[in-house]
Amino acid sequence: YSYDLGAWHMVALNNYCSDPNVGGCGVGSRWHTWLKNDLAAHPALCTLAYWHQPYWTSGSNHAPYTAVKDYMDLLYSAGADVLLQAHNHQYERFAPMDPAGQRDDARGIQAFVVGTGGRSFYGFNSTPAANSLVRNGNTFGVLKLVLHPTGWDWQFVPVAGQTFTDSGSLSCH
């Protein structure tokens, strides 16, 4: 489903592509077609997408979930700005990237993995994924986003007694 929140277009996607009820996420699937049509019908300046399994991650428990590559191609082509993901029990922030994982400060999607809601933590690979800027695997907390008409601010807010934080701002493209 999708909805508009102020100047932002928000897209919630099911990324369990191998589930028979989903029917795949690739070109020609019903969800890929839906996403393509939804993005065309909502050409917002700022777009945020979210799903469960991370497309980009340095997590050692679960590898990057590449079955959503065709979703990423559509989101990138439509100028999407932010991708929120979880599944891995840790926090990680990436630089804006294209679907191939190349840094792209002009048009790239900034991704976050936020699986810090209270379950046990997962570790990280010894070599971080390309363009991984910040990683934390021992602090529970939430990601606070403030959405402006032409950009966003982020802040990782730790639970009481913890000190790790991460924050910043970017503009939509």
Side-chain angles (χ1 to χ4, degrees), residues 13-14 21-25 29-36 71:
L13 291 163
N14 185 338
N21 295 315
V22 174
C25 301
S29 71
R30 68 180 173 163
W31 295 116
H32 186 272
T33 301
W34 176 86
L35 178 58
K36 182 178 180 180
Y71 282 176

Side-chain angles (χ1 to χ4, degrees), residues 1-13 34-36 38-51 71-72 74-84 107-112 145 147-152 170-173:
Y1 61 93
S2 71
Y3 54 96
D4 293 325
L5 183 63
W8 284 75
H9 185 60
M10 314 296 270
V11 182
L13 291 163
W34 176 86
L35 178 58
K36 182 178 180 180
D38 180 75
L39 292 170
H42 299 93
L45 173 64
C46 303
T47 300
L48 181 149
Y50 55 98
W51 60 58
Y71 282 176
M72 291 300 297
L74 285 176
L75 291 166
Y76 181 77
S77 293
D81 302 284
V82 180
L83 174 62
L84 301 178
R107 296 189 58 236
I109 300 170
Q110 183 180 36
F112 296 87
L145 295 175
L147 306 177
H148 305 285
T150 60
W152 70 99
L170 281 176
S171 297
C172 298
H173 33 276

Side-chain angles (χ1 to χ4, degrees), residues 48-49 51-52 54-56 81-86 90-95 109-115 134 143-145 152-156 166-168 170:
L48 181 149
W51 60 58
H52 186 70
Y55 182 70
W56 293 302
D81 302 284
V82 180
L83 174 62
L84 301 178
Q85 312 155 99
Q90 58 216 180
Y91 174 82
E92 187 168 18
R93 177 174 53 87
F94 289 86
I109 300 170
Q110 183 180 36
F112 296 87
V113 178
V114 187
V134 177
L143 180 65
K144 175 183 174 181
L145 295 175
W152 70 99
D153 306 324
W154 71 87
Q155 178 185 12
F156 182 85
D166 179 44
S167 61
L170 281 176

Side-chain angles (χ1 to χ4, degrees), residues 119-135:
R119 181 119 180 179
S120 59
F121 291 107
Y122 293 169
F124 287 102
N125 294 322
S126 58
T127 302
N131 299 303
S132 173
L133 300 177
V134 177
R135 291 167 303 287

Side-chain angles (χ1 to χ4, degrees), residues 116-118 121 138-143 156-165:
T116 55
F121 291 107
N138 61 11
T139 305
F140 295 119
V142 297
L143 180 65
F156 182 85
V157 180
V159 296
Q162 299 293 303
T163 59
F164 168 78
T165 191

